[in-house]
């Protein structure tokens, strides 16, 4: 029962700290309201036509694949920093990680997600 009470206290303190941080930020943040802030902004050039237009889903698939392999690189850098301390278990773990990513790449390649049409 003691651990449960401690958990509740920690959660309440975390909520209080977050609420205090948000309140302080709202209280001291500079405010300026004007009509230009509500307009669509695109590299400083006023938009022509409708701003809400559809893009091909291929752009999103390509971006998601890029992010997936970018995150893989970040994990590999972290693994390379501690590779000597991990031993054979670390090697097997990273090989399994790479195997899953290669399977994902093969699946995306087979589905044609990497082809720019």
């Amino acid at each position: 029962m003691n651990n449960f009470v401690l958990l509740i206290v920690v959660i309440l303190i975390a909520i209080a700290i977050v609420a205090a941080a948000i309140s302080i930020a709202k209280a001291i943040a500079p405010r300026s309201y004007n009509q230009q802030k509500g307009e669509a902004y695109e590299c400083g050039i006023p938009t022509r036509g409708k701003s809400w237009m559809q893009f091909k889903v291929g752009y999103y698939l390509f971006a998601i694949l890029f992010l997936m392999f970018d995150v893989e690189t970040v994990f590999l850098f972290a693994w390379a920093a501690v590779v000597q301390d991990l031993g054979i278990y670390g090697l097997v773990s990273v090989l399994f990680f790479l195997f899953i990513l290669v399977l994902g790449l093969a699946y995306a390649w087979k589905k044609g997600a990497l082809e720019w049409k």
Side-chain angles (χ1 to χ4, degrees):
M1 186 66 179
N2 194 15
N3 289 338
F4 183 71
V5 172
L6 182 62
L7 177 68
I8 297 297
V9 168
V10 168
I11 290 173
L12 290 175
I13 289 173
I15 291 171
I17 289 173
V18 169
I22 291 173
S23 300
I24 291 170
K26 283 193 179 255
I28 65 173
R31 292 178 188 86
S32 78
Y33 300 103
N34 59 25
Q35 191 175 8
Q36 282 185 332
K37 286 192 174 188
E39 294 180 7
Y41 180 75
E42 194 171 317
C43 301
I45 302 170
T47 57
R48 286 185 243 156
K50 292 178 14 177
S51 296
W52 295 98
M53 59 185 192
Q54 293 182 347
F55 291 99
K56 288 173 48 177
V57 72
Y59 298 128
Y60 297 110
L61 287 175
F62 203 81
I64 288 172
L65 287 171
F66 174 76
L67 286 175
M68 181 178 75
F69 290 107
D70 197 38
V71 169
E72 168 202 357
T73 305
V74 170
F75 282 128
L76 287 178
F77 276 125
W79 172 78
V82 295
V83 68
Q84 288 182 341
D85 299 335
L86 297 176
I88 193 72
Y89 176 73
L91 179 65
V92 171
S93 297
V94 82
L95 287 177
F96 183 69
F97 176 70
L98 288 174
F99 176 72
I100 291 173
L101 284 170
V102 168
L103 282 179
L105 177 62
Y107 177 77
W109 197 336
K110 184 177 179 180
K111 288 290 187 178
L114 300 176
E115 295 177 13
W116 200 261
K117 297 177 185 176

